[in-house]
Each structure stands twice: as structure tokens, then as C-alpha cells.
Amino acid sequence: MSRAAARWILIGALGALLVLLVGLIAVQGLRTGFSAMQLLAATLFVLPIAGALIGLLWYGRTLGGAVAGRTRAEAAAHASGESFRTVASTMADGIITIDDRSRIQYVNEAAERMFGYTRDELIGNELTMIMPESFRDRLQAGIQRYLTTGKRKLSWESLELPGHQKDGKEFPLEISIGEHTLGDEHVLTGVVRDITDRKRAEETLAESEAKFRRLVASAPDGIFVVNTQGGILDVNPAGEALIGRDRGQIVGHKLAEFIPEERVSVMDRYLTDRLAGHRTTELYDETWRGVGGHKINVQLTSQVVHPPEEKPYLVVSVRNVTNLQEMQRKLLESERWASMGRLASFVAHEINTPLTNISLLTASISRRVSDAEVQERLKKITIQGRIAASITQELLKFSRPGAINPVETNLTDLVRTAVDQSDMFRKPGVVVETDLGKEPVVCTLDPLRIHEVFVNLIKNAYEATPNGRVKIRLEDRGPLVAITVSDTGTGIPPDVQRRLFEAFFTTKKKGEGTGLGLAISRNFVATHGGDITVSSEVGRGSTFTVLLPKQAPSPRRGP
Ligand code: ADP
């Protein structure tokens, strides 16, 4: 009989007893007539019974609810057990449940496949049978320690342990453990995942990363890894050498620190564009600060990297092309000089022959004619002929510009002669100052070539100075000697400064300048192993500095 039926029988019996009592009281009352006391007694008698009935009804409801609830819970538990088994059997991860003596209570299909045992072979056995021999004692001890003390040595989330298959093969596992209590019993449930493939992939990644690192470390170009804020995340040894600093002085710094101030905004724009994927320019010429902060010419290529769930970064490869460009410039220059020399020698030769004929014919006419006017014109022809001859002489200097005849020379005297000889170009409002030192400086050089260099420089200084001062200074610097020619003249704008030493570059009027003076001067000085530099400011004047070694490096005989 169900509890609900028993409850209704009980309620029915009490109800019948109540009706019986009320009936008896009523019959008795009708027969004898009701006194007030009787009515009160009857009421007092009936009310508790009615109250008990209501109470019973209420209790019955609650009892019924509880019974129904328990039944539902049992059904739900049954259903959830069923659904757990359904889910567990379809899961790719293995599920293993052990009791407090670490005996296997339950395994799903995936666990059977993973370890190569059937369920029957596993259930009731020690968990350690699916762990490698070497690991068993430790695992057993760990489980026991936990079950007795509640202390865990390792995290129970994503624990990596080796597994042991029936055929003896070991394989890597990732285990997450959960715990619950059944009555007094502790039950541990482990979800196990075979991570053989993941481990293999990680190793292959690690291997290729090591390969990549070796490649970057041995790369001849500087490689800088730069984040979105322009901060340097990494650098290779070639990058350290390029900048002349250790890794520790580069990583964590901004790339902008290694770029000249005037180029920072351009470089920033380049990086931003590259990171945004806008610019696809592969080669990019830039100026950086190299060893000792000196400017170097570099060529950049860069690659944007978008790692998953991280901010993108740039791998910038930097090649120092300063020496290469300098070599290219020198090669180009020497090729230009060579072709100019060939042309000059051809032209000078071709012009010299008719010029010689003109001067011979002029002389012959001059001897035969006494007319003063004709003589005057013949003189003019002779002067023009000489000018043309001097131009061809100039041109011939290009034919063998590298040839010098070095001899021991008093450079102080040579500069003084050049100052005197150039004096005819000085304007009345210009003062000349010389500071040639107390002791004469003796050098081994080609006096004709070097004399011509100083005449060129002093003449240019006078031509650029309407009034003011031109100063010539000679300074003994041990193995070198420095001669500066400075003026307070017009000064030279930057665009002209860049082209000063180009052959045939002149700002002078036609007929006043050939544009060859500085080109030839630099070539002569370079042949001596020296250099000419210029500094100038428009409106304030210019300074040309000639640096010469006291001993010309490898004397080459001229024609
Ligand atoms: P040229 O004197 O025949 O023009 P140069 O090669 O000697 O050829 O000089 C080239 C140019 O350099 C000149 O035309 C002039 O513009 C500029 N220059 C040279 N020296 C000076 C100077 N001291 N001040 C201003 N400009 C100068």
C-alpha cells in the first residue's frame, strides 16, 4: 500500500469518528434538551478533534510532498547517472574514478582505448597499473597523503603525468582531478587526455624556434624586434655591432634613440605604416646613429608579425651601407674623372694644333707688316691665343689627375707664395691675414699641384668677399698639416655646398669661372692622401680646410 493511500484511510477514519461523535451529541441533546454547559462541553470536545484533523491533513500534505520529492530526486539521480554515462561514453577524454584505496571504480570507453585495457581488466584494480613503474610509489603516496591529511602537493588542474599502456608503452597525459564524497567514502574522478600530439607539436615548434634563433644570431644584418610603441624587444649580435652597444643597452630602449633627431618622425611614420599594413615598400634608405653616435646610412626591410591574441610587432632588418655607398661614390667619381680625362686630353690635343698654327701665322704676319693698327690687332690675336692655350693646359690636368711628383718642400713658403700670387684678385676693402706659424713646415708633396690648390682657394675667397677679411692659417698637427682659408664673404647656401666639388659646377657668370678649381683641387689633395672640407654660413663667410699628410703616401710619377 502506498503512503498516500494510508494517509487517506487515516483521514477517512478520523472523519467518520468525528461525524459519529457529533451525531451522538445531537441525538442525546434532542432527547434531553441542550443545556448551555452541554453545548460548551460538546464544542470543547469537537474542536480539538477538528483541529487534529486539520493538522493531520496538513502533515499529510507535507509528508506526501516529501515522499513525492524523494521519488523525484531518485528519478533525477537515476536520470543524471544515465546521462553521465551517455556523456562519458561519447567523450574523447578518458574518465577514471577511484575510491579511497585508489582502486578503479569506473572508466569510460575513451580511457579503455587510451590505456589498451578493457573495463573489466581495470575495475577493482589499483590506479597505479596504468602509471609507469617508476612513478607508481610516488603517485600512491600522494593519493594516500591526500586522502588522510587532505594536503595536495600538486595542482589538480591540467596536471601533466606519464601514462602506461597495457603493451608497456608510455605516453604523456594531462589530468584534471575532481573529488566528491559518497556516504563516508571519498571518490576521486580524473579526466585524462592523451597529449602525445600536442607534445610532439610543441617540440617541433621549439626546434624550429631554436633554428630560427641560430639563423638570426648568425645573420650579417642587424635584426631589431620592435613593438607597436617603437620599443625594442630583441636584437641580434649584428644589431649590437651596428649600434656599438650591448644587448642590455638596446633592448627596452626606443628605436628613436638610435636615429638622428631630424629623422625620428619619418622613421616613426614608417613603423606605424608598416604595422598598419599600409606601406609595402620593401627597401627603405634611412640614416641611423652607428658606433659612437656617428651617422650611418642604412637600408631597412621589415616584416610585420601578428601572433595570435597578442599585439603585432615588427622584425626590422638593418644593413649598414655607409662603406658600400662611399665605395660606390668613389668608383663613380674615379670613372667620371677617367672619362673626363680622356675627353679633355682629346680636346686639348685637337685644339692645340690649330692654336699653334694660329700663333705661328700671327708671328709671321707680324714680321712682314709694319702698319701700327694691324700690329695692334695681331697682338690681340696673340693674347686670345694664349688664353685659349691656358684653357687647354687646364683641360690637360684632367688627363692624368692622379699623377704627382712629390719632393721635399717648405710648405710654409709655398703657402706664402700662393698668398702673394693671388693678391691681384683682392679688392681694396679686403684685409688679408696670415698665421703660418713660427717654424717652417717641411713636407714631401708635389709643389706645383699643391700651390695651385691654395691659389684656387685664396682666389675664390677674394672673389666672394667684397670687403672684410680673408685669413690663411697653417697649423702643424704632427703627421698632418692643416691649412685653412677663411673669409667673411657671401657664404655658401647648403644646396651649392653639396655641389661645390663637382667638375664644371660654378655660380659665376659665363667667362668668369670654369667650375674646375675646387674639383681639381680636391683631386690633387686626395692624390696626396689628404682631404678638403668646407663649412659656411650664408652672409657670414666660409672656411675651407685642407688636411695634408706631411709625407705623400705612395709617390706616383707624373708625365
Ligand atoms: P669657379 O671658381 O670657376 O666657379 P670653383 O670650383 O673654384 O669654380 O668653385 C665653384 C663654386 O664654388 C663657385 O662658383 C662659387 O659659387 C663657390 N665658391 C667657392 N669658394 C667660395 C667661397 N670662398 N665663398 C663663396 N662661394 C665659393
Side-chain angles (χ1 to χ4, degrees), residues 460-461 464 487 490 492 500 505-508 513-518 542 544:
N460 277 345
D487 63 67
T490 54
I492 310 168
L500 276 186
F505 174 80
T506 180
T507 59
K508 292 171 190 166
T514 57
L516 292 174
L518 287 178
S542 315
F544 285 78

Side-chain angles (χ1 to χ4, degrees), residues 242-398:
L242 187 104
I243 286 182
R245 291 196 192 190
D246 289 344
R247 199 184 136 74
Q249 298 170 301
I250 299 173
V251 172
H253 289 249
K254 291 261 177 192
L255 199 64
E257 288 178 40
F258 308 112
I259 293 165
E261 220 171 294
E262 68 274 12
R263 300 298 306 167
V264 169
S265 59
V266 184
M267 187 74 204
D268 272 353
R269 220 172 20 250
Y270 169 80
L271 293 179
T272 317
D273 281 0
R274 289 298 282 130
L275 281 163
H278 291 328
R279 201 191 295 225
T280 49
T281 326
E282 264 316 298
L283 258 174
Y284 167 50
D285 287 295
E286 194 41 276
T287 311
W288 275 31
R289 284 191 192 288
V291 179
H294 294 298
K295 286 186 185 176
I296 51 170
N297 299 334
V298 294
Q299 256 173 9
L300 309 177
T301 48
S302 58
Q303 189 69 45
V304 192
V305 181
H306 292 273
E309 291 167 36
E310 276 179 49
K311 284 189 176 171
Y313 59 83
L314 263 185
V315 178
V316 186
S317 171
V318 188
R319 179 170 297 181
N320 185 350
V321 289
T322 316
N323 290 342
L324 187 77
Q325 284 182 348
E326 180 59 18
M327 265 164 58
Q328 280 171 343
R329 191 189 66 75
K330 281 193 172 149
L331 192 71
L332 204 73
E333 202 170 305
S334 82
E335 270 174 13
R336 271 170 72 182
W337 278 102
S339 57
M340 241 158 40
R342 283 194 294 276
L343 182 73
S345 124
F346 169 77
V347 172
H349 237 261
E350 293 304 300
I351 290 175
N352 259 348
T353 316
L355 266 184
T356 313
N357 290 340
I358 288 169
S359 79
L360 287 174
L361 285 170
T362 313
S364 132
I365 296 168
S366 166
R367 279 197 299 276
R368 288 169 199 208
V369 181
S370 53
D371 187 320
E373 201 183 324
V374 175
Q375 282 294 344
E376 188 57 32
R377 292 195 177 181
L378 286 174
K379 221 184 255 171
K380 282 184 180 162
I381 290 173
T382 310
I383 291 169
Q384 291 303 314
R386 277 200 203 118
I387 292 173
S390 75
I391 291 174
T392 58
Q393 279 307 109
E394 282 290 302
L395 281 176
L396 274 172
K397 285 174 192 162
F398 280 100

